[in-house]
């Protein structure tokens, strides 16, 4: 399988990365080189093989469903580019 | 003491405990070495001198009272991927500009609890995506090793005996260093370069596809990626969560064992961290390997591999045989599919993990006409080319209609890769010996690698299988190539059998000797 310019632009939008016409053209070539490389996986007979979900058989750790952490609003917004009274500020989303 | 920076961790530990040296002295020695070398090597992207002095002072107070942890007063460098409270943590990406976490990663917390001193944050490929440390927003790291040429010079009799090797006929051999700058490998290039150039006693690193072992091999240092789950991933900036593992880069095998013991733990904050006691890895060093079964996988003999690497592999086999190990030929038939499967699984997980960099919660924000435009402009400006490439691949293979063909297929192949290893371990193989990398360090801005991303990816051909199967792997320096550059061998072990890796790597180290670059910086 290979991608065309339109697909690259669509994927870039899905990934929320702005691309110029020139970027998209360059990426098309690069992505096709990588997709060409991974194509060889189709040679492998995987009938009856389970997809891996975890490298080591691990039992999911559980903990009591109680509050163990909190009251850190100041810490949480400390690194945000724009905040107001412990809220993240973003451009208007709803008109 | 002529140069405190040349002490190994175990040597420094003895001298600190014996009060022959102080933590303040060794810390100052490293800080001045960094000040001199860093403008050239670019291994550190943030030096925390005040913090280091403060920590060293506290260590000296403890050592003075005969107290102190396993790493008391030992100065370390920390890869920029580890969250360090109040200190620059950006995964060497522009998108995390100005990020200073309000918490400390579990791995670094463990090191500080054992008394280690932080010298600063180390350069790396952006979000650990790269094999040459050239994708860093902070510029490439330079390898302290350079190619060299062995010349035989006929000396006039008057000059005889002034250094070099004087032969009976008045000719001597001299190594002439080439000026070309080489990469230290990646993604933990800053860690490897700093350890090799004596800019820290040891360093933390991380390995998703080879990012500890490949740079260790390129710089003549020892690097171990432990079993998945051995070190907590809490507070480590996520790249590919099912593959990422932290581990140390050190100057010798013993130091790597000392560091891993401190870094590893069970952590309730990481659900994939394993509930197993951490063994005393150092205790196995020097134990004989007589009777151990060492597997040699035929699939690791690849086309176009330099003769030097094949010869080194044969040497490694001979050393282990001499030490009483039994050498057996094995087959890991799905080896060649590990790298392509990795380039589906790792980008897929990365595209999801990196979705959080949206210009809202931390780091860079580029304004846009609406919120989506802001996201797109922020991410376009914040991520470098390689990171964008991987996010794009990941987004594509996970998108509707392609998931089964790519991601599911890759995860099935991953099961087969793991099964290959399980089969040979079940047949009694204790450890597997392979080359660490398909070449020695290459030049900065290598044209072939830059023109074709897949060429760069091939650096990880021998290391990536280990991540796909979640196994432990160590890279140990084993010799120099014809141009005087270090080459490493890799040992792969059973899950949570890091002890066998340290034990066997030490045998190789004893046979090969240790390697350090000629100082030009």
């Amino acid at each position: 399988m290979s991608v065309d310019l339109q697909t690259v632009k669509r994927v870039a939008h899905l990934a929320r990365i702005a691309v110029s016409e020139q970027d998209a053209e360059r990426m098309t070539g690069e992505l096709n080189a990588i997709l060409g490389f991974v194509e060889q996986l189709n040679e492998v007979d995987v009938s009856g093989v389970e997809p891996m979900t975890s490298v080591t058989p691990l039992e999911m750790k559980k903990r009591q469903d109680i509050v163990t952490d909190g009251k850190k609003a100041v810490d949480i917004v400390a690194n945000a580019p724009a905040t107001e009274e412990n809220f993240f500020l973003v451009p208007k989303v709803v008109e | 003491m002529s140069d405190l920076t040349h002490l190994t961790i175990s040597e420094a530990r003895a001298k600190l405990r014996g009060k022959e040296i102080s933590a303040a002295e060794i810390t100052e020695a490293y800080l001045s070495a960094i000040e001199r070398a860093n403008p050239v090597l670019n291994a550190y992207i943030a030096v925390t001198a005040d913090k280091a002095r403060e920590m060293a002072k506290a260590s000296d107070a403890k050592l003075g009272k005969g107290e102190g942890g396993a790493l008391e007063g030992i100065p370390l460098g920390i890869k920029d991927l580890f969250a360090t409270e109040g200190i620059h943590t950006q995964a060497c990406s522009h998108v995390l500009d100005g990020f200073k976490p309000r918490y400390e990663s579990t791995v670094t917390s463990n090191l500080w609890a054992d008394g280690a001193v932080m010298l600063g944050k180390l350069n790396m490929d952006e979000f650990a995506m790269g094999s040459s440390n050239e994708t860093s927003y902070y510029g490439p790291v330079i390898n302290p090793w350079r190619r060299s040429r062995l010349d035989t010079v006929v000396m006039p009799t008057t000059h005889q005996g002034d250094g070099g090797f004087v032969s009976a006929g008045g000719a001597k051999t001299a190594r002439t260093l080439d000026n070309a700058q080489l990469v230290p490998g990646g993604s933990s290039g800053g860690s490897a370069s700093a350890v090799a150039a004596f800019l820290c006693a040891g360093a933390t690193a991380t390995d998703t596809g080879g990012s500890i072992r490949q740079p260790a091999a390129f710089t003549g240092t020892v690097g171990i990626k432990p079993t998945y789950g051995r070190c907590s991933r809490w507070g480590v900036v996520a790249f590919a969560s099912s593959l990422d593992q932290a581990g140390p880069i050190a100057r010798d095998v013993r130091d790597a064992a000392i560091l891993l013991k401190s870094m590893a733990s069970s952590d309730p904050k990481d659900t994939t961290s394993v509930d197993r006691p951490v063994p005393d890895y150092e205790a196995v060093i020097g134990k004989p390997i007589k009777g151990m079964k060492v597997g040699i996988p035929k699939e690791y003999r690849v086309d176009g591999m330099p003769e030097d690497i094949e010869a080194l592999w044969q040497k490694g086999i001979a050393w282990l045989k001499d030490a009483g190990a039994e050498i057996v030929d094995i087959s890991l038939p799905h080896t060649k599919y590990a790298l392509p499967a990795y380039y589906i699984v790792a980008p897929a997980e990365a595209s999801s993990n990196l979705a959080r960099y949206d210009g809202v919660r931390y780091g860079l924000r580029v304004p846009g006409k609406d919120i989506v435009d802001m996201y797109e402009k922020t991410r376009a400006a914040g991520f470098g080319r390689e990171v964008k490439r991987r996010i794009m691949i990941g987004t594509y293979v996970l998108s509707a209609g392609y998931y089964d063909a790519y991601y599911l297929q890759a995860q099935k192949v991953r099961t087969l890769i793991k099964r290959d290893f399980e089969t040979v371990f079940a047949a009694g193989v204790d450890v597997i010996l392979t080359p660490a990398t398909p070449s020695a360090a290459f030049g900065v801005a290598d044209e072939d690698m830059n023109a074709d991303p897949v060429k760069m990816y091939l650096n990880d051909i021998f290391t990536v299988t280990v991540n796909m199967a979640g196994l432990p792997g160590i890279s140990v320096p084993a010799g120099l190539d014809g141009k005087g550059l270090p080459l490493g061998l890799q040992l792969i072990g059973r899950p949570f059998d890091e002890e066998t890796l340290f034990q066997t790597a030490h045998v190789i180290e004893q046979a090969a000797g240790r390697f350090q670059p000629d100082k030009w910086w």
Side-chain angles (χ1 to χ4, degrees):
Chain A
M1 273 177 271
S2 64
V3 291
D4 57 19
L5 191 64
Q6 272 323 101
T7 309
V8 168
K9 287 181 183 168
R10 187 177 60 85
V11 171
H13 181 62
L14 283 174
R16 298 288 184 265
I17 296 173
V19 287
S20 66
E21 197 66 28
Q22 209 184 351
D23 290 340
E25 271 169 33
R26 195 196 63 235
M27 281 179 179
T28 306
E30 291 171 353
L31 299 197
N32 280 328
I34 298 167
L35 292 172
F37 174 65
V38 303
E39 197 112 297
Q40 51 182 308
L41 289 179
N42 295 329
E43 301 161 21
V44 186
D45 179 7
V46 293
S47 43
V49 178
E50 285 292 310
M52 181 180 280
T53 48
S54 170
V55 283
T56 37
L58 280 176
E59 204 181 318
M60 179 67 107
K61 284 182 200 172
K62 300 176 193 79
R63 61 170 177 82
Q64 291 287 308
D65 187 16
I66 49 168
V67 176
T68 56
D69 204 355
K71 299 204 168 22
K72 286 184 177 161
V74 176
D75 286 339
I76 288 165
V77 298
N79 278 288
T83 61
E84 201 178 292
E85 293 173 10
N86 291 344
F87 286 94
F88 296 112
L89 279 189
V90 295
K92 200 170 183 180
V93 181
V94 183
E95 284 303 326
Chain B
M1 189 60 232
S2 59
D3 195 344
L4 296 178
T5 63
H6 280 58
L7 296 173
T8 62
I9 292 174
S10 62
E11 287 164 355
R13 181 180 63 182
K15 285 183 191 294
L16 285 161
R17 286 182 187 165
K19 301 192 180 66
E20 286 173 60
I21 60 170
S22 69
E25 284 167 347
I26 191 166
T27 300
E28 287 306 329
Y30 277 114
L31 289 173
S32 52
I34 295 167
E35 203 172 273
R36 280 194 305 271
N38 209 51
V40 187
L41 299 178
N42 200 27
Y44 283 86
I45 43 102
V47 180
T48 52
D50 293 344
K51 171 117 185 151
R53 291 187 177 110
E54 209 177 284
M55 290 173 100
K57 201 173 158 192
S59 286
D60 279 329
K62 281 195 177 162
L63 289 160
K65 286 187 269 182
E67 295 167 4
L71 290 170
E72 201 63 58
I74 303 292
L76 302 178
I78 303 298
K79 188 177 182 179
D80 199 33
L81 207 64
F82 292 84
T84 43
E85 193 176 352
I87 291 163
H88 180 112
T89 299
Q90 287 183 208
C92 284
S93 178
H94 185 35
V95 89
L96 269 168
D97 261 6
F99 182 63
K100 290 196 167 86
R102 310 284 275 206
Y103 53 88
E104 186 80 24
S105 80
T106 298
V107 164
T108 49
S109 297
N110 290 344
L111 293 171
W112 315 144
D114 275 349
V117 169
M118 172 160 64
L119 292 167
K121 299 302 283 288
L122 293 162
N123 205 338
M124 55 180 280
D125 279 302
E126 185 183 3
F127 285 108
M129 298 178 191
S131 301
S132 64
N133 213 120
E134 294 173 289
T135 72
S136 167
Y137 181 64
Y138 298 92
V141 175
I142 304 303
N143 193 331
W145 286 86
R146 284 180 161 180
R147 294 190 191 100
S148 59
R149 203 177 59 231
L150 255 187
D151 293 316
T152 305
V153 195
V154 181
M155 302 301 292
T157 43
T158 47
H159 284 183
Q160 262 191 30
D162 63 346
F165 181 78
V166 182
S167 71
K172 75 168 190 174
T173 55
R175 269 203 182 275
T176 314
L177 284 187
D178 188 295
N179 284 332
Q181 293 187 324
L182 303 181
V183 302
S187 69
S188 310
S191 306
S193 176
V195 171
F198 305 99
L199 306 184
C200 57
T204 65
T206 60
D207 190 314
T208 302
S211 283
I212 289 176
R213 291 159 289 155
Q214 184 252 18
F218 277 14
T219 56
T221 55
V222 177
I224 181 166
K225 181 204 90 75
T227 312
Y228 185 78
R230 182 65 288 179
C231 287
S232 169
R233 291 181 297 109
W234 196 82
V236 182
V237 177
F239 161 14
S241 304
S242 78
L243 302 159
D244 297 343
Q245 257 299 289
I249 292 182
R251 287 201 215 114
D252 68 9
V253 174
R254 182 180 296 274
D255 282 5
I258 294 170
L259 286 172
L260 183 59
K261 174 146 199 300
S262 283
M263 291 169 72
S265 63
S266 279
D267 185 4
K269 287 188 281 198
D270 173 5
T271 53
T272 62
S273 140
V274 70
D275 288 326
R276 263 176 183 255
V278 181
D280 181 8
Y281 299 118
E282 206 184 343
V284 301
I285 288 173
K287 276 200 184 164
I289 59 158
K290 197 166 164 40
M292 200 179 272
K293 216 179 213 185
V294 180
I296 311 297
K298 63 169 193 256
E299 290 81 5
Y300 283 62
R301 192 161 282 118
V302 296
D303 290 343
M305 190 162 83
E307 270 176 44
D308 282 333
I309 289 179
E310 172 65 32
L312 186 85
W313 197 10
Q314 294 307 321
K315 251 200 227 168
I317 293 170
W319 290 330
L320 297 182
K321 208 173 181 176
D322 287 348
E326 184 194 341
I327 308 295
V328 289
D329 287 324
I330 59 167
S331 174
L332 299 165
H334 296 91
T335 297
K336 71 175 265 211
Y337 301 110
L339 200 62
Y342 175 88
Y343 274 96
I344 290 173
V345 174
E349 294 184 15
S351 71
S352 166
N353 274 326
L354 273 59
R356 70 190 71 177
Y357 306 105
D358 57 3
V360 175
R361 286 160 291 171
Y362 22 61
L364 185 75
R365 172 184 287 195
V366 179
K369 63 180 192 305
D370 54 26
I371 194 162
V372 173
D373 195 41
M374 186 273 282
Y375 292 152
E376 293 194 348
K377 282 186 171 142
T378 298
R379 290 163 65 82
F383 293 134
R385 268 170 74 162
E386 182 60 31
V387 173
K388 283 182 196 165
R389 193 143 62 207
R390 297 205 198 184
I391 292 174
M392 294 281 289
I393 285 285
T395 306
Y396 178 71
V397 301
L398 291 177
S399 63
Y402 297 102
Y403 180 87
D404 286 6
Y406 287 110
Y407 190 72
L408 212 60
Q409 177 79 5
Q411 289 291 51
K412 285 178 181 172
V413 170
R414 200 171 165 191
T415 299
L416 293 171
I417 293 163
K418 181 155 189 263
R419 200 177 285 172
D420 285 354
F421 283 107
E422 284 166 351
T423 307
V424 299
F425 288 135
V429 167
D430 296 296
V431 67
I432 297 165
L433 178 73
T434 78
T437 56
S439 76
F442 47 88
V444 171
D446 184 281
E447 275 177 32
D448 278 2
M449 302 259 186
N450 281 340
D452 180 0
V454 174
K455 266 213 175 102
M456 185 67 93
Y457 299 168
L458 288 170
N459 269 287
D460 288 338
I461 190 164
F462 298 142
T463 49
V464 77
T465 51
V466 173
N467 301 76
M468 294 302 269
L471 301 172
I474 192 168
S475 167
V476 58
L480 301 179
D481 73 359
K483 289 174 179 145
L485 294 180
L487 295 172
L489 288 172
Q490 174 180 237
L491 292 159
I492 304 168
R494 292 191 168 102
F496 301 103
D497 191 14
E498 283 79 7
E499 286 165 289
T500 297
L501 297 189
F502 286 122
Q503 193 184 342
T504 316
H506 183 69
V507 171
I508 293 175
E509 183 178 64
Q510 289 292 308
R514 280 174 51 198
F515 305 92
Q516 64 179 66
D518 288 341
K519 193 165 189 281
W520 53 265
W521 60 90

